[in-house]
Amino acid sequence: MKVNRIGFKNFRNLEDSEIFPGSGVNVIYGDNAQGKTNLLEALWLFCGGHSFRTAKDSEVIKWNADFARLEMDFFGQGRDQRAALQILPNKKIVKINGVEKNSASALIEKFCAVVFSPEHLNLVKRGPGERRKFTDSAICREKLQNAVILSKYNRMLSQRNALLKDIFRKPSLEDTLDIWDAQLIHYGALLIYKRLEYMKNLSQKAAGFHSGISKDKEALSVRYLSTEDVNDDDSLEIIREKFAAKCAQNRKSDIHLGVTLSGPHRDDMEILINGKNAKSFASQGQQRSAVLSLKLAEAAVLRERMGEEPVILLDDVLSELDSGRQDFLLNELKNCQVFITCCEKQNKEQLKRGTVFYVSKGSVVSEK
């Protein structure tokens, strides 16, 4: 998958213009707060209409403008295609190959990218919720069916927790808990199984990328931490049995506290470098390398599903990395289109082959 052209009008601070990226590595450099990240955000919006920076559409519209408009020509699914996205304060209008679509989610089936931003370092730095969000987002992008499973599990969990609070006040309602438990266990076991399946694939690929980034000096591994005591090779039926046993074991405590103590909503992903927990023992550069490896592995998994390479968007990725790790990202990522933002001029000078754009006060200029 390759972006051949992207045009923007009234988008954040970017001057109304268009650029023509190269098919390999594209370095976007300039001082802070000039618009480099805005350019990556514009590309990412074609993955489904959602920003990786804000939930408010109005924030991407230039001050005093009524709308923002993005256009992209790209090669994907074996042919040249065109997408247009008009963003209004309360809605988006999407056209793909000249045909208006009902929702921006239609873009998911046409264009695919993986983004790294500094906020993704929270995968290592923060609690289990960040890592569950990463995994669930990845499996939902992999298969629409997984999004349905996650949605139904969350709904069952919410309803069960509401019932637990009612049971504490009115114990006779406990007889109805079995009905909700059956549904919670069904969808919860499916969700765990899908996460495990994805994580095994992700871990293997992330280990390879991290070996390349660290020049074989470090080994990265990822493992699923389960409140249901499941193992990586457990079948769906075994996972269901273990989750059911844990629900039965915790029933009295669940009722007393009014919450469900076990399930995929409490599970975690542990990130290890050389066998040690990255959150506790890794340096800033090692943590950044680990998250980068996970994001590149995410792209590799998407490639297997789609049959073509996703576009890779790397925002402020080179800071806190030594020159060897920087060189890997600038010069060793093959057969895919990459966009990398940076502030240091020396980073663009490390690029052996690729395209360079300079951003200043919202103006994006291609450097020959």
Side-chain angles (χ1 to χ4, degrees), residues 127-327:
E130 292 289 335
R131 292 179 284 279
R132 289 194 296 268
K133 182 180 176 182
F134 166 77
T135 308
D136 290 340
S137 174
I139 65 172
C140 289
R141 290 179 69 196
E142 189 180 18
K143 289 182 181 178
L144 180 60
Q145 178 194 22
N146 294 339
V148 174
I149 292 168
L150 176 64
S151 176
K152 288 188 174 181
Y153 176 78
N154 286 334
R155 186 164 68 249
M156 294 300 155
L157 177 65
S158 177
Q159 291 171 333
R160 185 181 192 267
N161 285 342
L163 178 59
L164 288 170
K165 292 178 176 64
D166 290 339
I167 292 171
F168 187 77
R169 294 188 293 267
K170 191 176 181 182
S172 61
L173 291 173
E174 185 175 348
D175 292 341
T176 64
L177 195 56
D178 288 341
I179 298 170
W180 295 107
D181 282 1
Q183 290 296 302
L184 187 83
I185 291 162
H186 173 72
Y187 290 111
L190 276 171
L191 181 57
I192 294 166
Y193 183 76
K194 296 293 184 180
R195 283 180 180 174
L196 282 169
E197 188 178 54
Y198 179 81
M199 203 164 291
K200 282 186 283 188
N201 197 0
L202 183 82
S203 182
Q204 182 181 26
K205 290 176 170 56
F209 281 114
H210 196 84
S211 178
I213 291 173
S214 67
K215 306 299 183 186
D216 296 320
K217 294 177 182 176
E218 297 164 8
L220 176 72
S221 59
V222 179
R223 66 185 182 193
Y224 193 79
L225 299 181
S226 161
T227 56
E228 306 79 32
D229 302 320
V230 302
N231 300 312
D232 287 352
D233 56 353
D234 282 349
S235 66
L236 176 59
E237 187 55 39
I238 290 174
I239 293 171
R240 189 178 288 117
E241 290 172 0
K242 287 184 176 180
F243 190 15
K246 189 64 72 170
C247 279
Q249 177 185 327
N250 290 342
R251 176 172 284 201
K252 287 185 179 180
S253 298
D254 287 357
I255 293 170
H256 179 71
L257 296 172
V259 293
T260 304
L261 295 174
S262 183
H265 64 288
R266 298 260 180 173
D267 292 353
D268 196 0
M269 173 178 74
E270 188 175 32
I271 302 169
L272 305 167
I273 297 176
N274 294 335
K276 295 182 178 179
N277 187 290
K279 180 178 181 179
S280 302
F281 298 101
S283 68
Q284 294 286 333
Q286 286 176 317
Q287 289 182 353
R288 186 173 289 254
S289 298
V291 176
L292 274 168
S293 298
L294 288 170
K295 298 301 291 185
L296 293 172
E298 179 187 351
V301 174
L302 278 172
R303 179 191 64 214
E304 290 180 348
R305 178 178 69 84
M306 298 186 66
E308 57 187 328
E309 293 279 357
V311 173
I312 297 175
L313 311 174
L314 304 176
D315 186 32
D316 189 22
V317 71
L318 300 177
S319 60
E320 298 178 346
L321 297 182
D322 59 42
S323 60
R325 295 172 197 248
Q326 291 174 353
D327 181 72

Side-chain angles (χ1 to χ4, degrees), residues 18-47:
E18 62 182 4
I19 64 168
F20 299 86
S23 61
V25 176
N26 295 268
V27 170
I28 304 159
Y29 85 100
D31 293 336
N32 287 324
Q34 300 303 302
K36 303 186 301 294
T37 301
N38 296 342
L39 185 53
L40 295 195
E41 182 183 28
L43 290 161
W44 177 255
L45 280 163
F46 284 99
C47 291

